[in-house]
Amino acid sequence: MVSGPSGVGKSTVVNALAERYPFYFSVSATTRRPRPGETEGIEYYFVDTDEFVRLRDGGELLEWAEYSGNFYGTPREPVLDRIAAGDDVLLDIEVMGAVQVKASFPDALMLFLTPPTIEALEERLRSRGDTPPEDIARRLVIARWQLEVAEERFDHIVVNDSVEDAVKRILRILKAPHTKADR
Ligand code: 5GP
């Protein structure tokens, strides 16, 4: 599982990692509106709140969380199918979702991608230009709290100073998942 604050560059790192390590990327359901360039079924399944509640209450989600005013959840079946087939599965989910998954899958590896500084994160969120200012402020507050949770509960904290270095660090962890050498 890869978690990290909004704007830390998770998608970029995950996409770069996908070229060097085979895994199934779990596509989440969300009530958030698509950002420009996002495609249904690739980044997310975009659903309305009624549909999300139906999935959640029908037991179709492995975990779910509310984040910055929207719901996000991991469809259960595809993940279980891939694990049963022996594949590695990657979840890009926020910290409490990751904690929930770890409770059911104790062998799951929890990686937290962190920015070099909070200022770098703020700058990235602003320059991305797709997040309203009040949402940026909210996401920065969440980011500080997430880092505290991650320091306590995650297996590894990986600094995303450059995509290449972050990917290398993750590849090293995947080869020796039970060491905490990178922390
Ligand atoms: P964004 O709106 O920027 O795409 O994602 C916001 C946050 O929701 C990110 O931290 C992302 O990792 C998290 N997220 C995405 N999908 C899921 C999910 O299925 N479950 C949980 N718990 N968090 C998710």
Side-chain angles (χ1 to χ4, degrees), residues 2 4 6 10 28-29 32 35 38 44 63-65 67 72-74 92-94 97-98 128 139 146:
V2 177
S6 178
K10 274 191 309 277
S28 298
R32 169 168 77 60
R35 295 190 187 121
E38 287 184 331
Y44 286 105
E63 60 72 43
W64 68 277
Y67 179 95
Y72 296 82
T74 304
D92 168 351
I93 61 180
E94 54 66 66
R128 202 164 73 174
R139 284 171 182 243
Q146 283 184 325

Side-chain angles (χ1 to χ4, degrees), residues 22-127:
F23 58 77
Y24 166 73
F25 177 77
S26 160
V27 179
S28 298
T30 183
T31 58
R32 169 168 77 60
R33 286 168 184 271
R35 295 190 187 121
E38 287 184 331
T39 309
E40 166 70 15
I42 302 289
E43 287 84 5
Y44 286 105
Y45 298 110
F46 296 98
V47 299
D48 61 22
T49 304
D50 286 350
E51 174 67 3
F52 191 92
V53 167
R54 194 189 66 72
L55 293 171
R56 185 191 67 187
D57 296 352
E60 291 183 45
L61 301 179
L62 193 61
E63 60 72 43
W64 68 277
E66 189 174 354
Y67 179 95
S68 200
N70 291 298
F71 291 125
Y72 296 82
T74 304
R76 179 188 297 276
E77 207 175 287
V79 171
L80 297 186
D81 287 352
R82 291 304 183 117
I83 290 176
D87 295 338
D88 281 336
V89 177
L90 189 141
L91 308 182
D92 168 351
I93 61 180
E94 54 66 66
V95 292
M96 292 323 287
V99 169
Q100 287 178 60
V101 172
K102 183 80 170 183
S104 323
F105 298 91
D107 288 344
L109 188 64
M110 296 166 85
L111 304 181
F112 187 85
L113 207 57
T114 187
T117 62
I118 284 280
E119 290 72 28
L121 184 66
E122 183 170 2
E123 175 52 30
R124 235 192 80 92
L125 277 172
R126 285 192 202 294
S127 64

